[in-house]
C-alpha cells in the first residue's frame, strides 16, 4: 500500500510517499517561515501563495523518480488550518486523484500529529492517551482499541505553541517560531534558576482542560522583577508541569496502556525529558522531524483511518476539531 500524502495547513508545504504505513520512501518539506520572520507570525495570504509556488516543483521532482501509477491512494490534510493554505493542498490532491484515477483520503491534521507515532516499529499500545501540542491547538484525547478518538479536554484560550511564540517575542525578542528559542535558553540556563515565579493556571482543576493565556499574562507581570532569561526558564517549567499533570490524570483515570504526543511543541526537550522520566516506556514521541508539520504524519493517519471521499465532495474545513471526522 503506497500512499502519497500532501500537507499544506499552515506554513509548511509537504509531500510524502509512505509504504505499508511504515516505510518512508520520500519525504519533503518546504517552509515559508523565512517570509514570516519580519511579521513575527504567519501571514495567511503569504503562506497560501508560498504553497502554490512550492507544491508543483516538489511533485514534478517526485515524478522524475517515481511512477505515479504505483501509488494506491492520495491523502490530504483537509483541516484544521488556514483556509487559503488548505485549499491549495486539497485542490492539488483532487487534481492528482482525477488524473491518475486514485482514491482520495481526507485527513484531520490534528489526528495526524498523533499518528506520527505509528510509523515507528514500536507501535503504541491501545487504549492510549493522546496529547496534541501545536501552534494552534492543545488537546487531550483517549484513543480506544478501534482507533476511535474521544476528546477529554482542550485549551480554553491560547494554544501552548502560541504561548511559546508570544512569550519568546516578549522575553527574547525572538522571531517566529519562538518555541525553539525558549527551549534553547532553557537548556543553557536551567541549572542557574529554579524558583517558581509564574502562575500554573488550571494545574489543580479536576478536568482535562488547559489555559495558557493566564500564563502569558503572568509572564508579563514578572517583567522587570526578574531577568528575562529566568522568566523564560520558569515559563518552560510551568508549561511542562501543567501538561504532565493533566496527561497523568487521564492516563490513570482511563487505565490507558500508552501515551502518544504530537505537534510542534512535542519537539520540546524538557517536555520529552519529564514525560520520559514519568511514563518510562509507555510514552511515545515522534522523531523531532515528524513533530512539526510534515507529510508522513498525514500518510500515517490515512493508512490507519482511511476516510475515503468522492472527489467532488472533498473540501477544506478550517475549523475541524480533533474529534471530528474529516468528511462532513
Ligand atoms: O505543529 P506545528 O508545526 O504547527 C501547527 O500545527 O501549529 O507547531 C508549531 C509550534 C510553534 O508554536 C512552535 O513555536 C512550536 O511548535 N515549537 C516548539 C518547539 N519546536 C516547535 N515549542 C517548544 N519547544 C520546541 N522545541
Ligand atoms: Zn500541526
Amino acid at each position: 500500500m503506497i500512499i502519497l500524502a500532501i500537507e499544506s495547513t499552515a506554513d509548511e508545504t509537504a509531500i510524502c510517499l509512505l509504504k505499508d504505513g511504515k516505510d518512508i520512501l520520500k519525504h519533503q518539506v518546504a517552509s515559508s517561515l523565512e517570509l514570516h520572520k519580519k511579521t513575527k507570525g504567519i501571514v495567511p495570504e503569504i503562506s497560501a501563495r508560498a504553497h502554490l509556488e512550492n507544491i508543483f516543483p516538489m511533485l514534478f521532482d517526485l515524478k522524475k523518480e517515481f511512477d505515479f501509477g504505483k501509488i494506491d491512494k492520495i491523502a490530504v490534510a483537509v483541516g484544521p488550518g488556514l483556509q487559503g493554505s488548505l485549499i491549495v493542498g486539497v485542490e492539488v490532491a483532487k487534481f492528482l486523484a482525477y488524473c491518475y484515477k486514485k482514491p482520495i483520503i481526507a485527513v484531520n491534521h490534528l489526528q495526524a500529529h498523533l499518528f506520527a507515532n505509528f510509523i515507528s516499529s514500536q507501535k503504541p499500545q491501545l487504549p492510549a492517551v493522546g496529547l496534541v501540542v501545536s501552534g494552534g491547538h492543545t488537546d487531550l484525547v483517549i484513543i480506544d482499541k478501534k482507533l476511535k478518538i474521544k476528546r477529554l479536554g482542550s485549551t480554553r484560550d491560547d494554544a501552548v505553541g502560541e504561548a511559546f511564540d508570544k512569550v519568546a517575542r516578549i522575553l527574547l525578542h525572538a522571531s517566529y517560531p519562538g518555541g525553539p528559542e525558549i527551549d534553547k535558553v532553557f537548556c543553557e540556563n536551567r541549572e542557574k534558576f529554579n524558583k517558581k515565579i509564574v502562575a500554573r493556571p488550571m494545574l489543580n482543576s479536576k478536568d482535562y482542560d488547559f489555559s495558557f493565556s493566564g500564563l502569558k499574562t503572568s509572564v508579563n507581570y514578572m517583567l522587570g522583577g526578574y531577568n528575562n532569561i529566568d522568566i523564560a526558564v520558569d515559563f518552560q517549567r510551568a508549561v511542562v508541569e501543567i501538561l504532565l499533570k493533566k496527561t497523568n490524570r487521564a492516563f490513570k483515570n482511563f487505565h490507558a496502556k500508552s501515551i502518544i504526543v504530537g505537534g510542534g511543541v512535542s519537539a520540546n526537550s524538557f517536555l520529552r525529558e519529564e514525560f520520559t522520566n514519568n511514563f518510562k516506556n509507555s510514552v511515545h514521541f515522534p522523531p523531532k522531524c515528524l513533530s512539526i508539520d510534515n507529510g508522513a504524519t498525514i500518510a500515517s493517519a490515512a493508512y490507519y483511518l482511511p476516510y475515503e471521499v468522492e472527489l467532488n465532495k472533498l473540501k477544506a474545513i478550517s475549523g475541524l476539531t480533533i474529534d471530528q471526522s474529516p468528511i462532513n
Side-chain angles (χ1 to χ4, degrees):
M1 160 75 68
I2 296 182
I3 297 178
L4 168 63
I6 296 177
E7 153 68 36
S8 73
T9 56
D11 57 327
E12 269 97 17
T13 317
I15 59 167
C16 175
L17 273 181
L18 185 72
K19 189 175 175 206
D20 299 333
K22 57 183 169 56
D23 299 321
I24 298 178
L25 305 182
K26 182 82 186 176
H27 186 252
Q28 240 188 313
V29 182
S31 173
S32 58
L33 253 184
E34 279 302 316
L35 304 175
H36 309 290
K37 284 232 152 106
K38 242 196 292 174
T39 45
K40 300 193 175 178
I42 300 177
V43 180
E45 188 176 334
I46 291 179
S47 181
R49 286 174 189 272
H51 287 307
L52 271 177
E53 279 173 25
N54 289 328
I55 189 90
F56 283 110
M58 272 181 172
L59 289 166
F60 293 155
D61 276 353
L62 180 65
K63 199 168 173 308
K64 282 185 209 151
E65 304 168 18
F66 192 83
D67 172 8
F68 278 18
K70 291 190 182 145
I71 292 167
D72 295 293
K73 292 176 177 181
I74 311 264
V76 63
V78 298
L82 305 168
Q83 188 69 15
S85 294
L86 288 169
I87 285 172
V88 177
V90 166
E91 293 307 312
V92 169
K94 264 188 205 168
F95 169 74
L96 287 174
Y98 176 79
C99 291
Y100 293 95
K101 300 191 173 37
K102 304 291 179 189
I104 197 154
I105 310 294
V107 173
N108 178 324
H109 173 91
L110 296 174
Q111 296 176 355
H113 271 308
L114 295 176
F115 280 90
N117 290 289
F118 284 70
I119 300 171
S120 141
S121 54
Q122 269 201 310
K123 300 238 177 321
Q125 284 191 304
L126 299 170
V129 168
L131 175 69
V132 173
V133 279
S134 73
H137 298 84
T138 312
D139 291 301
L140 200 53
V141 300
I142 182 93
I143 307 168
D144 72 14
K145 287 188 173 164
K146 292 183 174 161
L147 294 176
K148 200 168 166 343
I149 297 175
K150 186 174 165 236
R151 183 156 61 110
L152 303 175
S154 298
T155 180
R156 294 193 183 171
D157 39 57
D158 294 350
V160 61
E162 188 185 342
F164 265 103
D165 296 330
K166 300 250 168 76
V167 166
R169 206 197 295 182
I170 298 166
L171 294 179
L172 311 172
H173 307 291
S175 52
Y176 178 85
E181 303 287 321
I182 298 254
D183 199 7
K184 184 165 169 275
V185 160
F186 177 86
C187 293
E188 290 164 358
N189 297 279
R190 58 186 292 185
E191 307 298 340
K192 295 178 214 150
F193 190 79
N194 53 21
K195 266 198 213 162
K196 282 192 181 182
I197 55 171
V198 300
R200 270 83 172 145
M202 298 188 70
L203 181 69
N204 295 314
S205 64
K206 303 279 173 244
D207 53 31
Y208 302 102
D209 284 345
F210 305 93
S211 164
F212 292 104
S213 157
L215 178 48
K216 221 171 55 191
T217 309
S218 161
V219 163
N220 269 319
Y221 282 135
M222 292 302 131
L223 287 176
Y226 290 89
N227 84 51
N228 287 9
I229 302 287
D230 293 346
I231 305 174
V233 168
D234 193 46
F235 167 78
Q236 178 150 316
R237 278 206 188 99
V239 167
V240 173
E241 191 180 335
I242 296 164
L243 293 173
L244 180 65
K245 183 144 187 195
K246 292 283 163 107
T247 307
N248 196 24
R249 199 172 135 73
F251 184 61
K252 293 212 165 115
N253 286 353
F254 287 87
H255 308 288
K257 293 217 167 103
S258 65
I259 291 155
I260 55 182
V261 191
V265 181
S266 73
N268 187 272
S269 60
F270 190 54
L271 180 82
R272 285 179 179 238
E273 182 184 316
E274 286 289 277
F275 272 57
T276 307
N277 285 341
N278 199 79
F279 300 117
K280 310 279 184 270
N281 293 335
S282 307
V283 68
H284 299 255
F285 285 98
K288 285 195 181 176
C289 63
L290 301 187
S291 282
I292 54 165
D293 292 348
N294 70 90
T297 66
I298 305 303
S300 178
Y303 181 81
Y304 287 98
L305 301 176
Y307 290 107
E308 195 173 327
V309 205
E310 269 176 57
L311 259 194
N312 55 5
K313 293 205 174 136
L314 186 77
K315 59 174 193 281
I317 315 169
S318 60
L320 203 61
T321 57
I322 193 161
D323 50 352
Q324 284 175 336
S325 135
I327 29 182
N328 44 33

